[in-house]
Amino acid sequence: MQGDDHYYENQGGKRFVEKTASYFPKTPWGSMGVKFFDFNQDGLMDLFVTDMHSDMSGPQTRLTRTEFRPAFEKQKSEAWCTSEYSDAYLQGASNNIFGNAFYRNLGRGHFEEISGRIGAETLWPWGISVGDINADGFEDVFVAAGMGFGFRYGINSLLLNQNGQRFVDAEFLLSIEPRENARTTKVAFVLDCSGADQAHPLCRGRSGKFPIYETLSSRSAAIFDLDNDGDLDIVTNEMNDRPQVLVSNLAERRPIHYLKIKLVGAASNRDGLGATVRVITAGKKLTQYHDGKSGHLSQSSMPLYFGLGDAAGVERIELLWPSGRKQILDKEIPVNTMFTITEPRN
């Protein structure tokens, strides 16, 4: 949330060695969410890190609703952070990215930070959740966002992955924003300005009961097929408020192709957490880590979801289990359903 991020490399299961600069020379200063996933279907895991705390500086924390410009949501906060905070407070401004970071995996231990180029910047982000919302084979990102009491309303973001080339902001296009009934605030607490709270600064010039409002804000989200109709839905975790349940109607609008994979470990842990799963279909290789799909304070449903795009079938599934066992399935692979795969014991 404040300060440099660090990467520690596992040395043969015996110790960790700090090697951040070798891979990530600059890291976000106020990180909150983190997720490895294959953004562009090249079989290499890319890294998305959201930065919430950098957005606590600058004009976006002070502007009114009419003064605020949507362009702020896609800008880094470098100029504001370096002008408002000392270098000692920033713990070395030259090492920091004051905003989200997206590290494209180039292979052989090399990463390239491309967040600005691909549209990965958002405002006040917390947890990130990844899933193929439109079932085209490229995984999309939901970014839970907002600050709550004392701050204006900040939108949640749905970043649609455009063929592994860039993200497109789709939260309004897909009706994630605005919220139901355009609701953006709630009563945070009520002051008794004629009684116990009369000395409170917010009671100045007021009497009687006075409600204090705060803006709604999300902290995390789970992405899974809530209604089991084949497309992915989103459930948010809200700050001091009821969750949002965002149900997709994609499967009602057009035919989609997908495969859900449930892993059952034998030599590995029961849920196969830590496995790498690759689905080969129509010349594409779709790779996912089975990591619980966790975000900030959340974990999605266990089955992995692979959108297959226009492909009506799957040619092969390759698995690397946590135990080190490798498994290949290339016959009678179903689609548009849940497929349970059990780790071989030998």
Coordinates of all heavy atoms in Angstrom, one line a residue, residues 238-311:
E238 N -18.3 -4.9 -1.0 CA -18.4 -3.5 -0.8 C -18.0 -3.0 0.5 O -18.1 -3.8 1.5 CB -19.9 -3.0 -1.1 CG -20.4 -3.4 -2.4 CD -19.8 -2.6 -3.5 OE1 -19.7 -1.3 -3.5 OE2 -19.3 -3.2 -4.5
M239 N -17.5 -1.8 0.6 CA -17.1 -1.2 1.9 C -18.3 -0.7 2.6 O -19.0 0.2 2.1 CB -16.1 0.0 1.6 CG -15.6 0.7 2.9 SD -14.5 -0.4 3.8 CE -13.9 0.7 5.0
N240 N -18.6 -1.3 3.7 CA -19.8 -0.9 4.6 C -21.1 -0.9 3.8 O -22.0 -0.1 4.1 CB -19.5 0.4 5.2 CG -18.3 0.5 6.1 OD1 -18.1 -0.5 6.8 ND2 -17.6 1.6 6.1
D241 N -21.3 -1.9 2.9 CA -22.6 -1.9 2.2 C -22.8 -3.3 1.6 O -21.9 -4.1 1.7 CB -22.5 -0.9 1.0 CG -23.9 -0.5 0.5 OD1 -24.8 -0.1 1.3 OD2 -24.2 -0.7 -0.7
R242 N -24.0 -3.5 1.1 CA -24.3 -4.8 0.5 C -23.5 -5.1 -0.8 O -23.2 -4.1 -1.5 CB -25.8 -4.9 0.2 CG -26.3 -3.8 -0.8 CD -27.8 -3.9 -1.0 NE -28.3 -3.0 -2.0 CZ -28.8 -1.8 -1.8 NH1 -28.8 -1.4 -0.5 NH2 -29.2 -1.1 -2.8
P243 N -23.3 -6.3 -1.1 CA -22.5 -6.6 -2.3 C -23.4 -6.3 -3.6 O -24.6 -6.2 -3.5 CB -22.3 -8.1 -2.2 CG -23.4 -8.6 -1.4 CD -23.6 -7.5 -0.4
Q244 N -22.7 -6.2 -4.7 CA -23.4 -6.1 -6.0 C -23.3 -7.5 -6.6 O -22.3 -8.2 -6.5 CB -22.7 -5.1 -6.9 CG -22.8 -3.7 -6.5 CD -22.2 -2.8 -7.5 OE1 -22.8 -2.3 -8.5 NE2 -20.9 -2.5 -7.4
V245 N -24.4 -7.9 -7.2 CA -24.4 -9.2 -8.0 C -24.7 -8.8 -9.4 O -25.8 -8.4 -9.8 CB -25.5 -10.1 -7.4 CG1 -25.5 -11.4 -8.2 CG2 -25.3 -10.4 -5.9
L246 N -23.7 -8.9 -10.2 CA -23.7 -8.5 -11.6 C -23.8 -9.8 -12.5 O -22.8 -10.5 -12.7 CB -22.5 -7.7 -12.0 CG -22.2 -6.5 -11.1 CD1 -20.8 -5.9 -11.2 CD2 -23.3 -5.4 -11.3
V247 N -25.0 -10.1 -13.0 CA -25.3 -11.3 -13.7 C -25.2 -11.0 -15.2 O -25.9 -10.2 -15.8 CB -26.7 -11.9 -13.4 CG1 -26.9 -13.1 -14.1 CG2 -26.7 -12.2 -11.9
S248 N -24.4 -11.8 -15.9 CA -24.2 -11.6 -17.3 C -25.3 -12.3 -18.1 O -25.8 -13.4 -17.7 CB -22.9 -12.2 -17.8 OG -22.8 -12.3 -19.2
N249 N -25.7 -11.7 -19.2 CA -26.7 -12.3 -20.1 C -26.1 -12.7 -21.4 O -26.8 -12.8 -22.4 CB -27.9 -11.3 -20.3 CG -27.5 -10.1 -21.1 OD1 -26.4 -9.8 -21.4 ND2 -28.5 -9.3 -21.5
L250 N -24.8 -12.8 -21.5 CA -24.1 -13.2 -22.7 C -24.6 -14.4 -23.3 O -24.9 -14.5 -24.6 CB -22.6 -13.3 -22.4 CG -21.7 -13.7 -23.7 CD1 -21.7 -12.5 -24.7 CD2 -20.3 -14.0 -23.2
A251 N -24.8 -15.5 -22.5 CA -25.3 -16.8 -23.1 C -26.7 -16.7 -23.7 O -27.1 -17.5 -24.5 CB -25.2 -17.8 -22.0
E252 N -27.5 -15.7 -23.2 CA -28.8 -15.5 -23.8 C -28.8 -14.8 -25.1 O -29.7 -14.9 -25.9 CB -29.7 -14.7 -22.8 CG -29.8 -15.4 -21.4 CD -30.5 -14.5 -20.4 OE1 -31.1 -13.4 -20.9 OE2 -30.5 -14.8 -19.2
R253 N -27.7 -14.0 -25.3 CA -27.7 -13.2 -26.5 C -27.1 -13.9 -27.7 O -27.4 -13.5 -28.9 CB -26.9 -11.9 -26.2 CG -27.5 -11.1 -25.1 CD -26.7 -9.9 -24.7 NE -26.5 -9.0 -25.9 CZ -25.6 -8.0 -25.9 NH1 -24.9 -7.7 -24.8 NH2 -25.5 -7.2 -26.9
R254 N -26.1 -14.8 -27.5 CA -25.5 -15.5 -28.6 C -24.9 -16.8 -28.1 O -24.6 -17.0 -26.9 CB -24.4 -14.6 -29.2 CG -23.2 -14.3 -28.3 CD -22.2 -13.5 -29.0 NE -21.1 -13.1 -28.2 CZ -20.0 -13.8 -27.8 NH1 -19.9 -15.1 -28.2 NH2 -19.1 -13.3 -27.1
P255 N -24.7 -17.7 -29.0 CA -24.0 -19.0 -28.6 C -22.6 -18.7 -28.2 O -21.9 -17.9 -28.8 CB -24.1 -19.9 -29.9 CG -25.1 -19.2 -30.7 CD -25.1 -17.8 -30.4
I256 N -22.1 -19.4 -27.1 CA -20.8 -19.3 -26.7 C -20.2 -20.6 -26.5 O -20.9 -21.6 -26.3 CB -20.6 -18.4 -25.4 CG1 -21.4 -19.1 -24.3 CG2 -21.1 -17.0 -25.6 CD1 -21.2 -18.4 -22.9
H257 N -18.9 -20.7 -26.6 CA -18.2 -22.0 -26.4 C -17.2 -21.8 -25.2 O -16.5 -20.8 -25.2 CB -17.4 -22.4 -27.7 CG -18.2 -22.4 -28.9 ND1 -19.2 -23.4 -29.1 CD2 -18.3 -21.6 -30.0 CE1 -19.8 -23.2 -30.3 NE2 -19.3 -22.1 -30.8
Y258 N -17.2 -22.8 -24.3 CA -16.4 -22.7 -23.1 C -16.1 -24.1 -22.6 O -16.7 -25.1 -23.0 CB -17.1 -21.8 -22.1 CG -18.3 -22.5 -21.5 CD1 -18.3 -23.3 -20.4 CD2 -19.5 -22.3 -22.2 CE1 -19.4 -23.9 -19.9 CE2 -20.7 -23.0 -21.7 CZ -20.6 -23.7 -20.6 OH -21.7 -24.4 -20.1
L259 N -15.1 -24.1 -21.6 CA -14.9 -25.3 -20.9 C -14.5 -25.0 -19.5 O -13.6 -24.1 -19.2 CB -13.7 -26.1 -21.5 CG -13.3 -27.4 -20.8 CD1 -14.5 -28.4 -20.7 CD2 -12.1 -28.0 -21.5
K260 N -15.2 -25.5 -18.5 CA -14.8 -25.4 -17.1 C -14.0 -26.6 -16.7 O -14.5 -27.8 -17.0 CB -16.1 -25.3 -16.2 CG -17.0 -24.1 -16.5 CD -18.2 -24.2 -15.7 CE -19.3 -23.2 -16.1 NZ -20.5 -23.3 -15.3
I261 N -12.9 -26.4 -16.0 CA -12.1 -27.5 -15.6 C -12.0 -27.5 -14.1 O -11.5 -26.6 -13.5 CB -10.7 -27.5 -16.2 CG1 -10.8 -27.6 -17.7 CG2 -9.8 -28.5 -15.6 CD1 -9.5 -27.6 -18.5
K262 N -12.4 -28.6 -13.5 CA -12.2 -28.8 -12.0 C -11.1 -29.9 -11.8 O -11.1 -30.9 -12.4 CB -13.5 -29.4 -11.4 CG -13.4 -29.6 -9.9 CD -14.7 -30.2 -9.3 CE -14.6 -30.5 -7.9 NZ -15.9 -31.0 -7.3
L263 N -10.1 -29.5 -11.0 CA -9.0 -30.4 -10.7 C -9.2 -31.1 -9.4 O -9.6 -30.5 -8.4 CB -7.7 -29.6 -10.7 CG -7.3 -28.8 -12.0 CD1 -6.0 -28.1 -11.8 CD2 -7.3 -29.8 -13.2
V264 N -8.8 -32.3 -9.4 CA -8.8 -33.1 -8.1 C -7.4 -33.7 -7.9 O -7.0 -34.6 -8.7 CB -9.8 -34.3 -8.2 CG1 -9.8 -35.1 -6.9 CG2 -11.2 -33.7 -8.4
G265 N -6.7 -33.2 -6.9 CA -5.4 -33.7 -6.7 C -5.3 -35.1 -6.0 O -6.2 -35.4 -5.3
A266 N -4.2 -35.8 -6.3 CA -4.0 -37.1 -5.6 C -2.7 -37.0 -4.9 O -2.7 -36.9 -3.7 CB -3.9 -38.2 -6.7
A267 N -1.6 -37.0 -5.6 CA -0.3 -36.7 -4.9 C -0.2 -35.2 -4.5 O 0.4 -34.9 -3.5 CB 0.9 -37.1 -5.9
S268 N -0.8 -34.3 -5.3 CA -0.9 -32.9 -5.0 C -2.0 -32.7 -4.0 O -2.7 -33.6 -3.6 CB -1.1 -32.1 -6.2 OG -0.1 -32.4 -7.2
N269 N -2.2 -31.4 -3.6 CA -3.3 -31.0 -2.7 C -4.6 -31.3 -3.4 O -4.8 -31.5 -4.6 CB -3.2 -29.5 -2.3 CG -3.3 -28.6 -3.5 OD1 -4.4 -28.3 -4.0 ND2 -2.1 -28.2 -4.0
R270 N -5.7 -31.4 -2.6 CA -7.0 -31.9 -3.0 C -7.5 -31.1 -4.2 O -8.1 -31.7 -5.1 CB -8.0 -31.8 -1.8 CG -9.4 -32.2 -2.1 CD -10.3 -31.9 -1.0 NE -10.4 -30.4 -0.8 CZ -10.9 -29.9 0.2 NH1 -11.5 -30.6 1.2 NH2 -10.9 -28.5 0.4
D271 N -7.3 -29.8 -4.2 CA -7.9 -29.0 -5.3 C -7.0 -28.7 -6.4 O -7.3 -28.0 -7.4 CB -8.4 -27.6 -4.7 CG -9.5 -27.8 -3.7 OD1 -10.5 -28.4 -4.1 OD2 -9.4 -27.3 -2.6
G272 N -5.8 -29.3 -6.3 CA -4.8 -29.1 -7.4 C -4.3 -27.7 -7.5 O -3.8 -27.2 -8.5
L273 N -4.4 -26.9 -6.4 CA -3.9 -25.5 -6.4 C -2.4 -25.5 -6.7 O -1.6 -26.3 -6.0 CB -4.2 -24.8 -5.1 CG -5.7 -24.5 -4.9 CD1 -5.9 -24.1 -3.4 CD2 -6.1 -23.4 -5.8
G274 N -2.0 -24.7 -7.6 CA -0.6 -24.6 -8.0 C -0.3 -25.3 -9.3 O 0.8 -25.2 -9.9
A275 N -1.4 -25.9 -9.9 CA -1.2 -26.5 -11.2 C -1.2 -25.5 -12.3 O -1.8 -24.4 -12.2 CB -2.3 -27.5 -11.4
T276 N -0.6 -25.8 -13.4 CA -0.7 -25.1 -14.7 C -1.5 -25.9 -15.7 O -1.2 -27.0 -15.9 CB 0.7 -24.8 -15.2 OG1 1.5 -24.0 -14.2 CG2 0.6 -23.9 -16.5
V277 N -2.5 -25.2 -16.2 CA -3.4 -25.9 -17.2 C -3.3 -25.2 -18.5 O -3.5 -24.0 -18.6 CB -4.8 -25.9 -16.7 CG1 -5.7 -26.7 -17.6 CG2 -4.9 -26.6 -15.3
R278 N -3.1 -26.0 -19.6 CA -3.1 -25.4 -20.9 C -4.1 -26.1 -21.8 O -4.1 -27.3 -21.9 CB -1.7 -25.5 -21.5 CG -1.6 -25.0 -22.9 CD -0.1 -24.8 -23.3 NE 0.5 -23.8 -22.6 CZ 1.8 -23.8 -22.2 NH1 2.5 -24.9 -22.4 NH2 2.3 -22.8 -21.5
V279 N -5.0 -25.3 -22.4 CA -6.0 -25.9 -23.3 C -5.7 -25.5 -24.7 O -5.5 -24.3 -25.0 CB -7.4 -25.3 -22.9 CG1 -8.4 -25.7 -24.0 CG2 -7.8 -25.8 -21.5
I280 N -5.5 -26.5 -25.6 CA -5.2 -26.2 -27.0 C -6.4 -26.4 -27.8 O -7.0 -27.4 -27.8 CB -4.0 -27.1 -27.5 CG1 -2.7 -26.8 -26.8 CG2 -3.8 -27.0 -29.0 CD1 -2.5 -27.5 -25.4
T281 N -6.8 -25.3 -28.6 CA -8.0 -25.4 -29.4 C -7.8 -24.4 -30.6 O -7.4 -23.3 -30.4 CB -9.2 -24.9 -28.6 OG1 -10.3 -24.9 -29.4 CG2 -9.0 -23.6 -27.9
A282 N -8.1 -25.0 -31.8 CA -8.1 -24.2 -33.0 C -6.8 -23.4 -33.2 O -6.9 -22.2 -33.5 CB -9.3 -23.3 -33.0
G283 N -5.7 -24.0 -32.9 CA -4.4 -23.3 -33.0 C -4.1 -22.3 -31.9 O -3.0 -21.7 -31.9
K284 N -4.9 -22.2 -30.9 CA -4.6 -21.3 -29.8 C -4.2 -22.1 -28.5 O -4.7 -23.3 -28.3 CB -5.9 -20.5 -29.4 CG -6.3 -19.5 -30.5 CD -7.5 -18.8 -30.1 CE -7.9 -17.8 -31.2 NZ -9.2 -17.0 -30.8
K285 N -3.4 -21.6 -27.7 CA -3.0 -22.2 -26.5 C -3.4 -21.3 -25.3 O -2.9 -20.2 -25.2 CB -1.5 -22.4 -26.4 CG -1.0 -23.4 -27.5 CD 0.5 -23.7 -27.4 CE 1.0 -24.7 -28.4 NZ 2.5 -24.9 -28.3
L286 N -4.4 -21.7 -24.5 CA -4.9 -21.0 -23.4 C -4.3 -21.5 -22.1 O -4.5 -22.6 -21.8 CB -6.4 -21.1 -23.4 CG -7.2 -20.9 -24.8 CD1 -8.7 -21.0 -24.6 CD2 -6.8 -19.5 -25.4
T287 N -3.6 -20.6 -21.4 CA -2.8 -21.1 -20.3 C -3.3 -20.4 -19.0 O -3.5 -19.1 -19.0 CB -1.3 -20.8 -20.4 OG1 -0.9 -21.4 -21.6 CG2 -0.5 -21.3 -19.2
Q288 N -3.6 -21.1 -17.9 CA -4.0 -20.6 -16.7 C -3.2 -21.2 -15.5 O -3.0 -22.5 -15.5 CB -5.5 -20.7 -16.5 CG -6.3 -19.8 -17.4 CD -7.8 -19.9 -17.0 OE1 -8.2 -20.0 -15.9 NE2 -8.7 -19.8 -18.0
Y289 N -2.9 -20.5 -14.5 CA -2.5 -21.0 -13.2 C -3.7 -21.3 -12.4 O -4.7 -20.5 -12.4 CB -1.7 -20.0 -12.4 CG -0.2 -19.7 -12.9 CD1 0.4 -18.5 -12.7 CD2 0.5 -20.8 -13.5 CE1 1.7 -18.3 -13.0 CE2 1.8 -20.5 -13.8 CZ 2.4 -19.3 -13.6 OH 3.7 -19.1 -14.0
H290 N -3.7 -22.4 -11.7 CA -4.8 -22.7 -10.8 C -4.4 -22.2 -9.4 O -3.8 -22.9 -8.6 CB -5.1 -24.2 -10.7 CG -6.3 -24.6 -9.9 ND1 -7.5 -23.8 -10.0 CD2 -6.6 -25.6 -9.1 CE1 -8.4 -24.4 -9.2 NE2 -7.9 -25.4 -8.7
D291 N -4.6 -20.9 -9.2 CA -4.1 -20.2 -8.0 C -5.3 -19.7 -7.1 O -5.0 -19.0 -6.2 CB -3.3 -19.0 -8.4 CG -4.1 -17.9 -9.3 OD1 -5.3 -18.2 -9.5 OD2 -3.5 -16.9 -9.7
G292 N -6.5 -20.2 -7.3 CA -7.6 -19.8 -6.5 C -8.2 -18.5 -7.0 O -9.3 -18.1 -6.5
K293 N -7.6 -17.9 -8.0 CA -8.2 -16.7 -8.7 C -8.4 -15.6 -7.6 O -9.4 -14.9 -7.7 CB -9.4 -17.1 -9.4 CG -9.2 -18.0 -10.6 CD -10.5 -18.4 -11.3 CE -11.4 -19.3 -10.6 NZ -12.6 -19.7 -11.3
S294 N -7.6 -15.5 -6.7 CA -7.8 -14.6 -5.6 C -7.5 -13.1 -5.9 O -6.7 -12.9 -6.8 CB -7.0 -15.0 -4.3 OG -5.6 -15.0 -4.7
G295 N -8.3 -12.2 -5.3 CA -8.0 -10.8 -5.4 C -7.8 -10.3 -4.0 O -7.5 -11.1 -3.1
H296 N -8.0 -9.0 -3.8 CA -7.9 -8.4 -2.4 C -9.1 -8.9 -1.6 O -10.2 -8.6 -1.9 CB -7.8 -6.9 -2.5 CG -7.8 -6.2 -1.2 ND1 -6.8 -6.3 -0.3 CD2 -8.7 -5.4 -0.7 CE1 -7.1 -5.6 0.7 NE2 -8.2 -5.0 0.5
L297 N -8.9 -9.6 -0.5 CA -9.9 -10.1 0.4 C -11.0 -10.9 -0.4 O -12.2 -10.9 0.0 CB -10.6 -8.9 1.0 CG -9.7 -8.0 1.9 CD1 -10.5 -6.8 2.4 CD2 -9.1 -8.8 3.0
S298 N -10.6 -11.7 -1.4 CA -11.6 -12.5 -2.1 C -10.9 -13.7 -2.7 O -9.7 -13.8 -2.9 CB -12.2 -11.7 -3.2 OG -11.3 -11.4 -4.2
Q299 N -11.8 -14.7 -3.1 CA -11.4 -15.9 -3.8 C -12.5 -16.3 -4.6 O -13.7 -16.5 -4.1 CB -10.9 -17.0 -2.9 CG -10.6 -18.3 -3.6 CD -10.1 -19.4 -2.7 OE1 -9.0 -19.2 -2.1 NE2 -10.8 -20.4 -2.6
S300 N -12.3 -16.5 -5.9 CA -13.4 -16.9 -6.8 C -13.6 -18.5 -6.7 O -12.8 -19.2 -6.1 CB -13.1 -16.5 -8.3 OG -13.1 -15.2 -8.4
S301 N -14.7 -18.9 -7.3 CA -15.0 -20.3 -7.4 C -13.9 -21.1 -8.0 O -13.2 -20.6 -9.0 CB -16.3 -20.5 -8.1 OG -16.6 -21.9 -8.2
M302 N -13.6 -22.3 -7.5 CA -12.4 -23.1 -7.9 C -12.3 -23.5 -9.4 O -11.2 -23.4 -10.0 CB -12.3 -24.3 -7.1 CG -11.7 -24.1 -5.7 SD -10.1 -23.4 -5.7 CE -9.7 -23.3 -4.0
P303 N -13.4 -23.9 -10.1 CA -13.2 -24.4 -11.5 C -12.6 -23.3 -12.3 O -13.0 -22.1 -12.3 CB -14.6 -24.8 -11.9 CG -15.3 -25.1 -10.7 CD -14.7 -24.1 -9.6
L304 N -11.6 -23.7 -13.2 CA -11.0 -22.8 -14.1 C -12.0 -22.7 -15.3 O -12.6 -23.6 -15.7 CB -9.7 -23.3 -14.6 CG -8.6 -23.4 -13.6 CD1 -7.4 -24.1 -14.2 CD2 -8.2 -22.0 -13.1
Y305 N -12.1 -21.5 -15.9 CA -13.0 -21.2 -17.0 C -12.2 -20.8 -18.2 O -11.5 -19.8 -18.1 CB -14.0 -20.1 -16.6 CG -15.0 -19.7 -17.7 CD1 -16.3 -20.3 -17.7 CD2 -14.7 -18.8 -18.6 CE1 -17.2 -19.9 -18.7 CE2 -15.5 -18.4 -19.6 CZ -16.8 -19.0 -19.7 OH -17.7 -18.6 -20.7
F306 N -12.4 -21.5 -19.3 CA -11.7 -21.2 -20.5 C -12.8 -20.8 -21.6 O -13.5 -21.7 -22.0 CB -10.9 -22.4 -21.0 CG -9.7 -22.7 -20.2 CD1 -9.8 -23.6 -19.1 CD2 -8.4 -22.2 -20.5 CE1 -8.7 -23.9 -18.3 CE2 -7.3 -22.5 -19.7 CZ -7.5 -23.3 -18.6
G307 N -12.8 -19.6 -22.0 CA -13.6 -19.2 -23.2 C -12.9 -19.7 -24.4 O -11.7 -19.6 -24.5
L308 N -13.6 -20.3 -25.3 CA -13.0 -20.9 -26.5 C -13.2 -20.1 -27.8 O -12.8 -20.6 -28.9 CB -13.6 -22.3 -26.7 CG -13.5 -23.3 -25.5 CD1 -14.1 -24.6 -25.8 CD2 -12.0 -23.5 -25.1
G309 N -13.8 -19.0 -27.7 CA -14.0 -18.1 -28.9 C -14.9 -18.9 -29.9 O -16.0 -19.4 -29.5
D310 N -14.5 -18.9 -31.1 CA -15.3 -19.6 -32.2 C -15.0 -21.1 -32.2 O -15.7 -21.8 -33.0 CB -14.9 -19.0 -33.5 CG -15.3 -17.5 -33.6 OD1 -16.3 -17.1 -33.0 OD2 -14.6 -16.7 -34.3
A311 N -14.1 -21.6 -31.5 CA -13.8 -23.0 -31.5 C -14.9 -23.8 -30.9 O -15.3 -23.5 -29.7 CB -12.5 -23.3 -30.8

